Amino acid sequence: MTATHYPVVIVGAGPTGLTLANLLGSYGIPTLLLERHASTVGEPRAVSIDDESLRTLQNAGVMAAVLPDLVLGYGVHYFSWTGREFARIEPTSREYGHPKRSAFRQPLLEKCLLEGLARFAHVDVRLCSELLRHHDDGTRVGLDVNGPAGPATFSCDWLVACDGGRSGVREALGVAMRGTTFAERWLIVDLAGRDDPFPHTRTYCDPARPAIRLPGPHRTLRYEFMMFDHEEPEQVLDESRIREWMRARVPDDEHLRIVRKVVYTFHARMAERWKVGRVLLAGDAAHLTPPFAGQGMNSGLRDAFNLAWKLAAVTAARLAPELLESYEIERKPHAWSLIVMALRIGRFMQPKSKAGAMAMQAALRIAGWYPPARDYVLHLKFKPKPRFGGGFFVPSNEREGVRAGQLFPQPAVALVDGTRVLLDECLGAGFSLIASAGHEKVQQAAAMLAEFVPCMICFYPPEAACSPPGAGYASQVIDAEGVIARTLRDAGAVAVILRPDRYVLGYLGAQNPADDAARVFRLLRGGQICPAIGGM
Ligand SMILES: Cc1cc2nc3c(=O)[nH]c(=O)nc-3n(C[C@H](O)[C@H](O)[C@H](O)COP(=O)(O)OP(=O)(O)OC[C@H]3O[C@@H](n4cnc5c(N)ncnc54)[C@H](O)[C@@H]3O)c2cc1C
């Protein structure tokens, strides 16, 4: 048995591990992905994918493959215990280039992601391979694996545990799960052959039986019914009872083919540490989010994008290993804020009594008469922004708009030949700089960053003709929607440096761009990570 060494080993081919492997593959990092099952898990769990995750999949190069299995842009309609609609979430903006909420099916996404790995000869996928033990000696991690041909050993520089909610790696590390203990059981019923074209989720906030109806791609349908404490799984799994509950909601659904029915227990918990030595936790191994906000997997995909470029930069010795300390600082508070949001939505969806339901639903209806409050709900503005309190970025003073340490918008831009593309398509896989055209001092300051920032582009306003990009810039684009100019203006800047995950690393102002660039340069050279403010 000879040990084979990889810069990165990922345990678990769920959506987190598969996305991470695709991103590492696209960055050219030799990676081993271990999965104990013969294929991806195939449990139809997640059904709702957000705009940030679609941007991640776009950057992983699998968007075209995933698109046929998506229903882009759907909302939620809330119904009272009397069956009356009293609130709606129907966001229409595409701040990050994709609809805020789209319907999908987890097994189909996992299949696409697994197939996507065939693009990379340097990503080794081993199915039927269970990690039994790991040993971190401080310089590398040794792994004992039970593979299809028997025991095997491997080693790696960094081990990423994407091994799910019952993570064996987390347990072996002795990392506790903390947070609100919340364990509620729901019956999940997946159906096929839906004819009803209504695309939106219906949520029935009825204390008699809280329920959710979620249409999906390829005429699928999901029902989720809350179980009460006194109910046993055998009772609620009874088919005639399920059909009766569906008939009470949408009569035509009663006759659909049941593909699967299962009882799940939902948790709201967070791992105390996300990095121990050379081992990192990601996805459900690090956080468990009740699915009321449809965010568990989305949080895992955020982990994957955050980690992928950092692992790539550290293993290729382009950035200092301390960079990896920023992973937990950046991701943990945000993942926790989504757990809190899911718990709030859950409480709202599961009123304990008719009186409670009436009070809550009346309050929301009245709030809906006030346009800013209605907008807040309708456009999903209550969702925590993808923004870090601390981490790997150069903090700046901007009070409005997109701060340093926040995900940059993804508008459509026009290329010189008039073709419209999403911004990320022009940025390459590494750090990038986007500057307003015609600022000579900025151009000179940007040159200082060339060692770390391979992609520098300039942009022109919509009405301008694209002149040649100017020395130092690889290309130029037209800011077709005016979003880049507006974002920079709000930040008091004329250029922005984006990290590979499209979060703002820092801004360059018009006054002293060389000083601003020097601060960014010092950070990239191994400078200090901005400490977290607040968080869990
Ligand atoms: C009913 C339900 C509905 C949901 N709806 C949504 C939703 O709409 N939107 C959303 O964002 N999220 C949703 N979620 C949550 C989402 O499904 C999970 O957050 C997501 O699956 C977590 O992905 P993961 O890759 O981190 O872990 P997992 O999907 O659990 O994958 C872990 C993988 O690791 C493998 N593994 C474990 N141990 C080992 C080992 N020792 N060696 C090798 N392999 C190992 C497992 O076999 C598995 O394949 C829902 C969850 C449920 C239960």
Side-chain angles (χ1 to χ4, degrees):
M1 274 188 308
T2 48
T4 311
H5 187 85
Y6 294 82
V8 181
V9 171
I10 302 167
V11 194
T16 310
L18 287 164
T19 304
L20 180 60
N22 271 279
L23 287 162
L24 287 169
S26 65
Y27 297 147
I29 305 301
T31 301
L32 169 64
L33 175 62
L34 297 170
E35 167 56 51
R36 69 173 160 210
H37 289 118
S39 69
T40 50
V41 164
E43 270 183 46
R45 291 180 285 169
V47 288
S48 187
I49 187 160
D50 72 9
D51 49 349
E52 296 168 56
S53 288
L54 290 183
R55 190 173 187 180
T56 298
L57 297 177
Q58 176 197 346
N59 276 274
V62 292
M63 198 59 196
V66 168
L67 260 179
D69 297 325
L70 291 179
V71 179
L72 290 172
Y74 77 143
V76 192
H77 294 194
Y78 289 91
F79 293 85
S80 73
W81 61 281
T82 59
R84 183 173 159 195
E85 187 190 314
F86 67 95
R88 267 182 196 197
I89 296 175
E90 265 185 40
T92 49
S93 69
R94 288 184 173 223
E95 194 179 355
Y96 300 121
H98 302 280
K100 292 238 169 277
R101 205 172 166 269
S102 298
F104 83 115
R105 290 295 183 260
Q106 188 168 330
L108 297 179
L109 174 68
E110 290 178 3
K111 184 170 170 284
C112 274
L113 287 168
L114 186 62
E115 286 168 3
L117 292 175
R119 293 175 293 164
F120 310 114
H122 52 281
V123 177
D124 190 357
V125 181
R126 299 205 184 200
L127 301 173
C128 302
S129 299
E130 181 171 17
L131 176 71
L132 301 176
R133 271 171 301 277
H134 77 272
H135 173 69
D136 178 358
D137 70 7
T139 52
R140 38 170 248 157
V141 187
L143 307 167
D144 291 339
V145 173
N146 190 20
T153 57
F154 300 96
S155 63
C156 57
D157 297 331
W158 301 98
L159 173 66
V160 190
C162 302
D163 52 348
R166 297 203 179 105
S167 169
V169 175
R170 186 187 67 221
E171 201 182 302
L173 291 171
V175 172
M177 291 296 268
R178 278 204 328 168
T180 325
T181 9
F182 164 95
E184 232 165 58
R185 293 168 310 155
W186 281 66
L187 167 68
I188 310 296
V189 185
D190 279 310
L191 302 136
R194 171 179 57 87
D195 286 322
D196 171 18
F198 183 76
H200 304 298
T201 301
R202 288 188 173 117
T203 298
Y204 302 98
C205 307
D206 179 358
R209 177 72 63 193
I212 315 172
R213 179 186 188 274
L214 303 115
H218 312 307
R219 298 172 60 207
T220 55
L221 182 66
R222 152 90 51 98
Y223 266 100
E224 302 183 356
F225 297 104
M226 196 191 92
M227 285 171 63
F228 293 102
D229 290 346
H230 63 271
E231 288 173 323
E232 293 301 325
E234 307 78 63
Q235 289 172 276
V236 298
L237 285 165
D238 175 65
E239 190 170 326
S240 56
R241 187 176 303 222
I242 292 173
R243 295 202 180 274
E244 192 185 307
W245 288 347
M246 293 194 297
R247 184 172 60 237
R249 295 305 173 197
V250 176
D252 281 354
D253 293 347
E254 181 195 358
H255 305 292
L256 296 179
R257 183 166 63 83
I258 296 179
V259 178
R260 214 175 73 110
K261 47 192 170 90
V262 65
V263 170
Y264 276 108
T265 304
F266 298 151
H267 298 279
R269 312 184 73 197
M270 176 85 93
E272 254 174 3
R273 295 174 68 187
W274 290 25
K275 178 175 179 293
V276 179
R278 291 184 164 269
V279 184
L280 298 124
L281 304 179
D284 274 18
H287 43 75
L288 289 169
T289 314
F292 309 123
Q295 279 299 322
M297 185 202 73
N298 289 306
S299 281
L301 263 58
R302 278 185 277 269
D303 298 343
F305 208 1
N306 189 292
L307 256 185
W309 68 269
K310 294 178 181 174
L311 285 167
V314 168
T315 54
R318 284 195 302 273
L319 294 175
E322 287 71 34
L323 173 65
L324 289 169
E325 304 302 328
S326 67
Y327 165 61
E328 180 173 333
I329 294 173
E330 291 178 350
R331 286 288 311 125
K332 204 175 175 190
H334 188 263
W336 181 246
S337 65
L338 282 160
I339 291 178
V340 171
M341 178 179 95
L343 287 172
R344 285 198 188 121
I345 292 179
R347 272 198 290 277
F348 175 75
M349 276 169 40
Q350 305 164 63
K352 297 284 176 242
S353 65
K354 275 188 188 161
M358 278 164 75
M360 202 153 41
Q361 292 164 16
L364 198 73
R365 223 178 354 244
I366 292 163
W369 296 339
Y370 177 57
R374 192 181 53 227
D375 258 30
Y376 187 72
V377 176
L378 188 67
H379 295 295
L380 210 60
K381 289 187 179 161
F382 53 86
K383 185 181 167 196
K385 284 204 182 315
R387 177 155 75 197
F388 308 135
F392 192 75
F393 58 91
V394 178
S396 44
N397 301 328
E398 68 282 347
R399 279 171 294 278
E400 284 185 53
V402 179
R403 295 185 206 155
Q406 184 170 337
L407 185 60
F408 197 73
Q410 186 182 207
V413 293
L415 305 179
V416 183
D417 64 3
T419 318
R420 274 191 173 227
V421 295
L422 287 172
L423 176 66
D424 292 2
E425 302 301 316
C426 310
L427 300 182
F431 289 93
S432 51
L433 178 139
I434 310 168
S436 175
H439 287 269
E440 222 169 277
K441 272 188 350 188
V442 171
Q443 223 164 304
Q444 284 158 9
M448 189 190 307
L449 299 170
E451 178 189 339
F452 294 104
V453 182
C455 173
M456 299 199 186
I457 64 170
C458 66
F459 71 90
Y460 289 87
E463 64 280 4
C466 254
S467 317
Y473 296 131
S475 63
Q476 69 276 55
V477 294
I478 296 275
D479 181 20
E481 298 171 351
V483 171
I484 305 176
R486 192 166 57 243
T487 309
L488 293 192
R489 196 170 50 241
D490 287 346
V494 285
V496 61
I497 299 119
L498 300 184
R499 312 186 329 176
D501 59 2
R502 315 310 181 198
Y503 279 71
V504 175
L505 180 71
Y507 285 108
L508 306 187
Q511 301 305 320
N512 292 308
D515 291 352
D516 296 338
R519 272 192 285 278
V520 172
F521 183 79
R522 280 198 294 276
L523 178 69
L524 290 166
R525 256 286 156 92
Q528 275 224 309
I529 289 164
C530 172
I533 306 156
M536 210 194 148

